[in-house]
Amino acid sequence: MKKVCFRGLWPLSKSGGLVFCKNCDKIVGSINKHGYRRLSISLICTCGCYGNVEIVADGSLSDFTEKIDKAPDFKDSVVHCKECQTPIFGILENRVENYSFFAECVCGAKYDTKPQIHKRLGETAKLLKQNKKHL
């Protein structure tokens, strides 16, 4: 690891696992320690505590300040890479007020955007596109 920094949060291990709020000790998320090259998560716990995670693994060349504007796959509150389907991290959305992130997967794909549409609406839009192709 090149850099590991947790503020307002505490992990079970430096590189990943469950992540807890330092103020109220609630589990707010998890990090797959084998799923990233670089990971930056900022969140506000429902108790009002601000938390930040910054982990940079060996081999990462990305800058978390660059705008990627790409959303990963979200499956059961876990962020998965669209390219290789590796789980990267999870946030328990009912335990945080809001969060933002920058993630570079082990395969090199980068993400920084949450989905803008509801999952069911996205599935409907996908079906409409498929039906349009068949007409």
Side-chain angles (χ1 to χ4, degrees):
M1 291 290 138
K2 289 183 183 176
K3 177 182 175 184
V4 177
C5 182
F6 285 84
R7 291 181 204 100
L9 303 171
W10 62 274
L12 283 181
S13 76
K14 282 185 179 181
S15 58
L18 293 176
V19 178
F20 299 83
C21 173
K22 272 190 177 177
N23 188 48
C24 66
D25 287 332
K26 285 190 294 193
I27 298 171
V28 292
S30 63
I31 298 172
N32 176 8
K33 63 183 176 181
H34 303 293
Y36 61 84
R37 286 187 192 165
R38 183 177 196 120
L39 184 61
S40 177
I41 304 171
S42 295
L43 59 83
I44 301 171
C45 181
T46 52
C47 74
C49 182
Y50 171 78
N52 187 342
V53 174
E54 177 75 30
I55 305 174
V56 182
D58 294 329
S60 174
L61 302 174
S62 52
D63 177 12
F64 75 92
T65 60
E66 70 180 297
K67 180 112 173 97
I68 304 301
D69 203 24
K70 187 175 175 186
D73 285 337
F74 283 78
K75 298 174 188 170
D76 299 323
S77 299
V78 176
V79 170
H80 287 75
C81 176
K82 281 187 175 181
E83 307 295 324
C84 67
Q85 296 304 310
T86 299
I88 303 171
F89 71 92
I91 296 290
L92 297 172
E93 293 192 27
N94 61 337
R95 295 188 182 182
V96 298
E97 294 291 329
N98 203 357
Y99 72 97
S100 62
F101 66 91
F102 176 91
E104 179 185 1
C105 180
V106 289
C107 74
K110 300 174 191 173
Y111 306 98
D112 66 354
T113 306
K114 293 188 270 186
Q116 298 300 314
I117 56 175
H118 188 274
K119 181 179 178 181
R120 298 296 296 167
L121 182 58
E123 290 172 359
T124 304
K126 195 178 203 178
L127 283 173
L128 287 173
K129 279 184 185 179
Q130 288 174 350
N131 288 340
K132 207 174 200 181
K133 287 180 184 178
H134 296 300
L135 293 177

